[in-house]
Amino acid sequence: MTVGEANNDSKILVFSTDKISDPAIDMAGLLKLHYPPTVYTITIPCSSAIKPRWILYSFEQGFDGVFIAADGTDCPYGESCTEKTGLVVGATHQIMKDKGIDPARLKMAAICSVCSESFVKHVVSFNKYLSKSSN
Amino acid sequence: MKKKVGVYICHCGGNISDYVDVEKVRQSVESINGVYLAKTTMFACADSNQKDMVEDIREQNLDGVVVAACSPKLHLLTFRAVVERAGMNKYNFVHANIREQVSWAHSDNKTGATEKAIQIVKAAIAKVQNSEALEPVKVQATKAVAVIGAGVAGMRAAIELAEAGSEVYLIERSFFVGGRIAQWDNICGTEETGKELVTRLYDEVIKHKHVTLFTGAEVIENRGSVGNFMLKVKVTPRYFKLPCSDGKLQEAIDVCPVIVPDEFNFNITSRKAIYHNYPSEYPQLPAIDMENCTRCGKCENVCSSIDFTQKTEYLNLKVGSVLLATGYDPYEPKKGEFAYGEIDHVVTLPQFKRIVHYCDEKLSYKGKDIKHIAYIYCVGSRQVDGENKYCSRYCCTVNIHTAITVKKKYKNIYNYHFNRGIRTYGKQEVWYDESSRLGDIYLQSFDNDPPVVEKRGDKILVKIKDVLTTDKQLEVVADLVVLVTGMVPRKDNSIGNLLKIPKGRDNFFNEIHMKLRPVETVIDGVTIAGASQGPKNVMESVNSALAAATKSFSLVDSGELALEPTVAEVDEQTCEWCGKCDEACPFNAFEKVEIEGKLIARVNPVVCKGCGMCLPVCPVNALNLIGLTDKDVENMISALIPND
């Protein structure tokens, strides 16, 4: 792949979680499952800790998309994580709509600690969507 | 903002530098304001580099360090220790993952990988520049460990922990100890039988004043975290009281009208609702299986030890660490897999071992004398189409050892081994050698061309295209076909779900790292041992049990644990108590306090787990996680975007 091709990929910020989804992203590398190198990760303890302002700041700074690799039901901090992460995404989608940002630029999926293939599938298809929608 | 940050970029041999131009990364970050030195290193984790880092920090008075290397899950603690040795606060170190999430993930795109590595290192520098020296949160740790599973690994771990000085609660779901080993007679490599081994361990467990054994017990609730797990244990009664006379007991068993398949013998025999698996089994008190008992009352009439008034008990245990040694299940072939369940004389290896146990003079099964035995290897392991891609490790050796036992125990036995490559690793090769000397015949096929079992008249034929005789089609007429089945995770793995233990690709419990942190899980304070973690033989199980016991003990030994200081923090100026953080917190870490006439939220740092669930719910953004503030996150976001 050339530099030019790499530049066609969308810049995606992934919020991964320390105990659950980040190990899956690590394992994607271990298994040499490839995804665009314009996917960057910031690791946080739990997906329900993401502030909408961080997501909006990412768009302001130039990220094309934000992907929340959520803990889902595997969250070590409790079952309410799924619902709370959902509320964060819902609230942020509303702000994005109000600001005229395509809400589909924020995506969330539960990524368990071994869901490496699922992670790669999600970011690859998200990248395709973002690349298309930006054209 | 720090002025003297040291940046170390690791080649990891070539694991990183084969795909990422580490020198280009170094050049891209060396001139960043505040970066004092930037170096590449062949192995950042090597002793020599660690010494260099310590010297740099001391001599150059560095105020922050970034290491760009493998995943922090491997070496975060290593490098934190390095900076601490140099006198720096460990929270002024930031780890950048450029191996798992860069060089390996993007080995198909070296330019893209290098660009990504540069941005990741820049983000780590941005983070370290804003980092603060922090002190860990200290919590009291209960000096007690719950060991789940009283098989060979669990009992050995319990003894080790008790001898070290910890209280141990040994919790076994079944009514008898020993796990799978109790089902085995002779064990290769030792003169001891499985039962003798169980007896020896049980005797040690029982005499140890620090071990409390619960049988028929199951953990049903878990609260708390490392240092202080609160476990709720359900203890099912045996409906037997001491003393229990053997004669009366046998009468009670005889009158019981319920007959169910005996799982201890892998369903080749049956048992009553009142049972013990074998006469001298421990604890030496039988149990009544209430799932199958009809409460007819016949046993009560003949045996006064039976007591149906016993009730289920619930216990609350407080422990500092949990050690899981829940074992494995043998693979159960599907109906029709090598004719299993379709031809009577096709059995699994565990069933075969029980048949050998029950046959003294001559080997027979279901009325048929057995002389010619065909063993089909790798059933349920190394599957081409199924989910179990892994090798079960123990089966080649155990099967060959069993074949030798059979040949020595009975007359005129002919063994035929239909294998896919024998894996009697290490010293276990001696049994392979012995079996070959005794005249056993080995036939081999490739993964995609397994042997075929079929019935012709009253004979069982096993056919193979044997690669050892240049693909000759060979047939063996067998009296019995033994499917050499491997290990699979426990069917009921509810304890894993309860403690949120991740599973690996093979569905067994997953350790953090196979070599570096082999018995720890991502759930702090929970260690894993034995075959619950993956196929292991007895020796390997015991080794892992000792390692897990040592790790668990190290957590509870000092009575105090240093936890990550990444807890929530309230900005007292901004906060106007609304209670939303309190509602969102799953740990009740918030309290309402009044300061100078103003109600605000306060965080109890010992109770706070640092999950951050409270952060997004605060309507005035008065909450941050220490070490992961808005500024930290937003600085990293800005740094991740290339400037061009």
Side-chain angles (χ1 to χ4, degrees), chain B residues 304-576:
Chain B
S304 58
S305 300
I306 291 170
D307 178 6
F308 280 111
T309 63
Q310 290 180 359
K311 296 262 180 304
T312 300
E313 283 181 69
Y314 293 90
L315 305 170
N316 290 307
L317 302 176
K318 190 176 175 191
V319 295
S321 174
V322 179
L323 189 156
L324 289 179
T326 51
Y328 73 97
D329 279 334
Y331 174 76
E332 175 74 20
K334 293 184 185 70
K335 190 168 190 280
E337 190 173 355
F338 297 107
Y340 183 75
E342 292 175 348
I343 301 177
D344 268 355
H345 288 81
V346 176
V347 298
T348 64
L349 175 61
Q351 287 173 331
F352 182 57
K353 286 178 77 70
R354 299 310 297 162
I355 294 167
V356 175
H357 168 82
Y358 282 110
C359 295
D360 285 331
E361 292 295 316
K362 62 176 184 181
L363 185 62
S364 66
Y365 180 59
K366 290 195 175 172
K368 183 175 171 186
D369 287 351
I370 310 294
K371 298 286 180 206
H372 296 267
I373 308 167
Y375 304 93
I376 298 179
Y377 284 66
C378 300
V379 179
S381 308
R382 299 168 68 197
Q383 288 177 326
V384 177
D385 298 320
E387 278 184 6
N388 305 341
K389 302 292 179 205
Y390 56 87
C391 164
S392 283
R393 297 170 60 85
Y394 93 113
C395 11
C396 280
T397 307
V398 167
N399 188 62
I400 290 173
H401 182 254
T402 306
I404 295 170
T405 307
V406 169
K407 211 162 201 175
K408 288 180 175 171
K409 188 172 175 181
Y410 312 105
K411 285 179 191 147
N412 301 325
I413 294 287
Y414 299 92
N415 290 323
Y416 305 91
H417 300 261
F418 292 81
N419 67 85
R420 278 164 52 187
I422 294 292
R423 294 182 174 180
T424 44
Y425 53 93
K427 287 185 180 171
Q428 298 167 122
E429 194 79 5
V430 294
W431 288 287
Y432 185 21
D433 182 52
E434 186 180 350
S435 128
S436 304
R437 283 170 200 271
L438 287 171
D440 281 11
I441 292 170
Y442 284 82
L443 307 109
Q444 194 171 324
S445 60
F446 287 125
D447 303 0
N448 52 4
D449 196 12
V452 176
V453 181
E454 58 182 45
K455 196 158 188 179
R456 195 178 298 161
D458 58 348
K459 287 178 177 160
I460 308 170
L461 286 183
V462 185
K463 294 187 200 168
I464 189 170
K465 200 160 107 189
D466 178 36
V467 297
L468 302 178
T469 47
T470 55
D471 284 350
K472 273 202 180 112
Q473 187 74 38
L474 299 174
E475 282 183 3
V476 169
V477 179
D479 302 317
L480 187 73
V481 174
V482 177
L483 305 182
V484 183
T485 47
M487 294 182 178
V488 291
R490 285 275 186 195
K491 201 171 167 188
D492 178 359
N493 235 342
S494 48
I495 184 70
N497 298 335
L498 196 71
L499 293 165
K500 313 277 185 207
I501 305 303
K503 293 171 191 165
R505 265 173 289 172
D506 52 9
N507 277 326
F508 287 94
F509 293 149
N510 208 13
E511 67 285 324
I512 293 180
H513 188 275
M514 193 193 284
K515 291 177 185 166
L516 299 172
R517 297 172 76 181
V519 294
E520 291 166 85
T521 66
V522 291
I523 307 302
D524 292 337
V526 180
T527 57
I528 46 177
S532 66
Q533 189 184 13
K536 287 186 180 65
N537 64 28
V538 178
M539 187 180 76
E540 291 159 351
S541 283
V542 169
N543 284 346
S544 77
L546 295 176
T550 309
K551 189 71 220 174
S552 279
F553 184 73
S554 72
L555 294 171
V556 301
D557 177 35
S558 68
E560 190 180 69
L561 273 174
L563 300 184
E564 288 292 296
T566 312
V567 294
E569 186 181 44
V570 179
D571 177 354
E572 295 186 357
Q573 300 297 319
T574 324
C575 175
E576 291 163 2

Side-chain angles (χ1 to χ4, degrees), chain B residues 125-368:
Chain B
I125 294 168
K127 181 152 192 245
V128 84
Q129 284 183 326
N130 194 37
S131 70
E132 282 173 29
L134 300 171
E135 288 307 318
V137 177
K138 300 271 166 84
V139 293
Q140 296 292 311
T142 310
K143 199 168 177 178
V145 178
V147 177
I148 319 278
V152 64
M155 287 201 283
R156 193 66 195 83
I159 295 162
E160 191 69 13
L161 282 159
E163 283 181 357
S166 166
E167 268 314 304
V168 183
Y169 302 108
L170 181 55
I171 301 166
E172 170 55 47
R173 185 164 61 184
S174 78
F175 286 107
F176 305 97
V177 302
R180 294 288 174 201
I181 288 297
Q183 294 170 298
W184 291 8
D185 282 344
N186 54 345
I187 302 173
C188 52
T190 163
E191 297 301 309
E192 215 171 18
T193 65
K195 293 181 181 68
E196 285 164 355
L197 178 60
V198 170
T199 306
R200 184 159 59 81
L201 289 169
Y202 178 79
D203 284 346
E204 273 191 72
V205 163
I206 282 304
K207 78 177 182 205
H208 216 294
K209 63 179 182 196
H210 288 307
V211 187
T212 313
L213 169 69
F214 300 98
T215 52
E218 205 170 346
V219 179
I220 54 166
E221 260 179 48
N222 163 47
R223 283 183 296 117
S225 56
V226 59
N228 296 291
F229 289 98
M230 309 288 293
L231 304 178
K232 188 170 183 184
V233 180
K234 178 183 167 190
V235 185
T236 311
R238 312 171 85 88
Y239 303 103
F240 263 91
K241 63 186 175 194
L242 288 165
C244 181
S245 126
D246 278 354
K248 292 286 178 200
L249 166 68
Q250 195 51 51
E251 270 184 54
I253 292 175
D254 291 343
V255 297
C256 177
V258 177
I259 296 174
V260 291
D262 187 355
E263 287 185 344
F264 185 79
N265 288 325
F266 302 100
N267 303 339
I268 59 166
T269 59
S270 55
R271 66 161 168 84
K272 298 295 185 74
I274 304 175
Y275 72 105
H276 49 187
N277 293 323
Y278 55 94
S280 59
E281 188 169 29
Y282 291 100
Q284 284 183 314
L285 193 61
I288 297 181
D289 160 15
M290 285 310 273
E291 272 186 26
N292 291 301
C293 174
T294 56
R295 298 294 301 271
C296 67
K298 287 182 181 164
C299 55
E300 273 177 299
N301 295 336
V302 295
C303 179
S304 58
S305 300
I306 291 170
D307 178 6
F308 280 111
T309 63
Q310 290 180 359
K311 296 262 180 304
T312 300
E313 283 181 69
Y314 293 90
L315 305 170
N316 290 307
L317 302 176
K318 190 176 175 191
V319 295
S321 174
V322 179
L323 189 156
L324 289 179
T326 51
Y328 73 97
D329 279 334
Y331 174 76
E332 175 74 20
K334 293 184 185 70
K335 190 168 190 280
E337 190 173 355
F338 297 107
Y340 183 75
E342 292 175 348
I343 301 177
D344 268 355
H345 288 81
V346 176
V347 298
T348 64
L349 175 61
Q351 287 173 331
F352 182 57
K353 286 178 77 70
R354 299 310 297 162
I355 294 167
V356 175
H357 168 82
Y358 282 110
C359 295
D360 285 331
E361 292 295 316
K362 62 176 184 181
L363 185 62
S364 66
Y365 180 59
K366 290 195 175 172
K368 183 175 171 186

Side-chain angles (χ1 to χ4, degrees), chain B residues 54-108:
Chain B
V54 171
E55 270 177 35
D56 286 349
I57 296 167
R58 283 191 183 141
E59 289 171 12
Q60 317 288 337
N61 285 320
L62 300 182
D63 54 7
V65 168
V66 168
V67 174
C70 53
S71 167
K73 279 149 200 77
L74 255 77
H75 276 312
L76 175 75
L77 300 180
T78 309
F79 295 118
R80 278 185 173 176
V82 171
V83 302
E84 272 195 321
R85 284 206 298 279
M88 181 187 279
N89 183 285
K90 63 184 176 187
Y91 296 99
N92 286 324
F93 162 75
V94 172
H95 197 117
N97 182 351
I98 61 165
R99 191 178 75 175
E100 280 81 351
Q101 296 191 9
V102 181
S103 67
W104 284 350
H106 311 301
S107 54
D108 59 335

